Amino acid sequence: MVSIMPDVKLGEKTGKLSEDELNMFITHAYKKVLHLQQELAKQQTLEQERFKKALDNQKVEIQMLGSEKIEEELVKQARKLEIDHMKRMNIIKEDAERAIRAQLTRQAAAHSDHLQDLLGVQEAELKRKH
């Protein structure tokens, strides 16, 4: 008892606690229990806040990692699409160049034939006139 309430000398005279002393002891014990309960509630609240904050931080970290992975995947897909696009463009360009060469060859042949025909007509006219 002395360790709990050092300032108060309980039960000095008879070794037993009087009703007032017992009430004082119970009140002191009750206040101590209330104080400890309040401290426990405060600690639980602080611990819950720390846990919530840690959980939020972990969620943010997971989202960032997920975002980074998505970003990496998007960059990879963009590179692949760019390469595929360049290959298709090269194929289209080669096909177009081939078609243009073929058309130019046909036009050159047609022009050459036309010139041959004109020369033949002029030659025939010159022979007829002379």
Side-chain angles (χ1 to χ4, degrees):
M1 293 279 230
V2 174
S3 64
I4 297 173
M5 298 172 44
D7 297 337
V8 179
K9 307 287 185 199
L10 298 175
E12 266 186 5
K13 299 174 186 163
T14 61
K16 293 185 179 181
L17 296 177
S18 70
E19 187 176 331
D20 289 338
E21 291 173 332
L22 185 58
N23 285 338
M24 192 171 31
F25 175 72
I26 291 173
T27 304
H28 175 76
Y30 179 73
K31 287 181 181 180
K32 183 72 171 174
V33 168
L34 283 179
H35 175 71
L36 291 174
Q37 285 176 338
Q38 289 172 347
E39 286 294 315
L40 178 62
K42 189 189 308 182
Q43 289 299 323
Q44 286 175 334
T45 302
L46 290 174
E47 192 60 35
Q48 285 175 346
E49 288 173 3
R50 279 192 288 251
F51 179 75
K52 186 178 183 295
K53 186 176 181 181
L55 189 61
D56 290 343
N57 288 342
Q58 187 176 16
K59 284 179 184 178
V60 168
E61 187 176 320
I62 288 171
Q63 287 175 346
M64 288 177 65
L65 289 174
S67 296
E68 288 173 3
K69 287 182 181 183
I70 290 171
E71 185 67 29
E72 288 174 13
E73 187 62 32
L74 287 174
V75 168
K76 188 190 309 182
Q77 287 179 0
R79 273 189 251 133
K80 185 177 184 281
L81 288 173
E82 182 68 25
I83 290 169
D84 290 346
H85 176 71
M86 294 302 283
K87 286 178 182 177
R88 283 191 215 116
M89 290 302 293
N90 283 337
I91 290 170
I92 290 170
K93 181 181 174 185
E94 289 170 2
D95 289 347
E97 286 176 355
R98 227 178 285 118
I100 289 172
R101 281 191 194 102
Q103 181 66 26
L104 286 174
T105 303
R106 286 192 297 272
Q107 286 179 353
H111 184 65
S112 177
D113 289 345
H114 176 68
L115 288 178
Q116 286 294 54
D117 291 344
L118 284 178
L119 285 175
V121 168
Q122 285 179 355
E123 186 180 338
E125 278 184 26
L126 283 175
K127 282 184 183 180
R128 196 172 42 112
K129 286 185 181 179
H130 293 293

